[in-house]
């Protein structure tokens, strides 16, 4: 969780009645939530990105073992100049503009019409959101005993698409002390991650990443683009 927390700034929560210290069961579930994403190989996601003129919604799939994600982006409350297909890695973004982008990306990326660029480490709410989404997995569980020591806490109970969840915050970023309350995870009884809510840069509204909002479709690389390993 701490790896992702480097990117995360203050976010709100719902159903709040905390914070309080994590119980041992809650700490164990928080410790495995990113590992469960990795075990699943990939997850279907909807990423809601705030913006001063409206915002963007990215709907697609993240392959956590292949470190590659793919989907379709739509503008919300604004023009559609950003609409189209998108595929990203930890270091690069490939986009294919479309005048009438579909609700869901085709299973196989088109062979032409793509433009690639580096993923920006700052200054772009979209790129920050993409980077966060790609980092919400780990090939091993976190240390449950260290989470409470680093400020992780229970915040409340909620429901996501009918799933009862606990809302948990933290832990602090290893490079920024006192940031334990800056990220919130909606975690199920088995450690499944259902939602993450954060803020990016100077945006007043948080980024929301919802999981399993549609069927997961295995991610295929854009033709001519080799994902990192």
């Amino acid at each position: 969780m701490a790896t992702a927390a480097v990117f995360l700034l203050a976010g709100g929560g719902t159903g709040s009645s905390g914070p309080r210290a994590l119980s041992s069961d809650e700490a164990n579930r928080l410790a495995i939530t990113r590992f469960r994403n990795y075990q699943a190989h990939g997850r279907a996601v909807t990423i809601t990105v705030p913006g001063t003129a409206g915002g963007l919604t990215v709907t697609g799939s993240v392959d956590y073992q292949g470190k590659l994600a793919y989907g379709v982006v739509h503008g919300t409350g604004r023009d559609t100049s950003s609409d189209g297909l998108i595929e990203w890695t930890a270091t690069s973004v490939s986009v294919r503009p479309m005048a009438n982008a579909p609700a869901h990306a085709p299973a196989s990326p088109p062979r032409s019409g793509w433009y690639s660029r580096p993923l920006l480490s700052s200054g772009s709410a979209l790129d920050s959101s993409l980077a966060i989404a790609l980092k919400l997995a780990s090939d091993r569980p976190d240390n449950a005993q260290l989470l409470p020591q680093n400020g992780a806490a229970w915040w409340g109970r909620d429901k996501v698409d009918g799933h009862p969840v606990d809302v948990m915050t933290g832990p602090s970023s290893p490079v920024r002390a006192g940031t334990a309350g800056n990220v919130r995870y909606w975690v199920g009884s088995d450690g499944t991650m259902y939602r993450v809510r954060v803020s990016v840069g100077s945006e007043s509204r948080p980024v929301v990443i919802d999981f399993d909002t549609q069927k997961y479709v295995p991610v295929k690389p854009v033709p001519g683009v080799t994902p990192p390993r």
Side-chain angles (χ1 to χ4, degrees):
M1 232 70 64
T3 302
V6 173
F7 296 91
L8 307 183
L9 300 176
T14 58
S16 301
S17 56
R20 62 160 171 74
L22 293 174
S23 68
S24 58
D25 171 71
E26 291 158 357
N28 286 331
R29 283 190 283 134
L30 185 58
I32 66 170
T33 190
R34 291 197 306 138
F35 180 58
R36 286 189 64 84
N37 279 351
Y38 185 85
Q39 282 184 313
H41 196 107
R43 302 282 303 277
V45 298
T46 295
I47 307 169
T48 304
V49 184
T52 55
L56 298 170
T57 299
V58 180
T59 304
S61 297
V62 180
D63 181 341
Y64 283 115
Q65 294 186 21
K67 301 177 182 178
L68 182 67
Y70 168 63
V72 60
V73 57
H74 290 97
T76 58
R78 46 169 288 166
D79 64 46
T80 59
S81 61
S82 297
D83 286 13
L85 304 180
I86 186 168
E87 184 162 295
W88 71 97
T89 72
T91 59
S92 66
V93 178
S94 296
V95 295
R96 188 182 190 277
M98 299 180 71
N100 296 293
H104 300 284
S108 296
R111 299 192 62 83
S112 61
W114 292 91
Y115 302 89
S116 297
R117 61 171 176 79
L119 187 145
L120 301 176
S121 59
S122 62
S124 168
L126 173 61
D127 284 21
S128 295
S129 302
L130 299 178
I132 292 167
L134 202 61
K135 287 181 174 289
L136 292 174
S138 175
D139 61 0
R140 67 196 66 183
D142 293 307
N143 188 322
Q145 293 183 339
L146 293 180
L147 293 176
Q149 296 177 29
N150 291 330
W154 180 89
W155 198 263
R157 293 189 175 90
D158 201 356
K159 280 190 176 183
V160 179
D161 292 331
H163 299 283
V165 295
D166 287 285
V167 184
M168 306 184 199
T169 63
S172 292
S173 160
V175 296
R176 296 183 63 187
T179 59
N182 293 350
V183 53
R184 295 191 182 184
Y185 300 93
W186 277 248
V187 180
S189 60
D190 61 351
T192 297
M193 185 185 297
Y194 286 102
R195 175 177 295 159
V196 174
R197 192 161 85 174
V198 302
S199 289
V200 172
S202 60
E203 297 292 343
S204 60
R205 291 177 294 135
V207 169
V208 178
I209 302 173
D210 282 302
F211 291 90
D212 300 336
T213 49
Q214 68 280 335
K215 182 180 178 180
Y216 173 75
V217 177
V219 181
K220 299 180 180 180
V222 167
V225 178
T226 303
R229 294 289 178 179

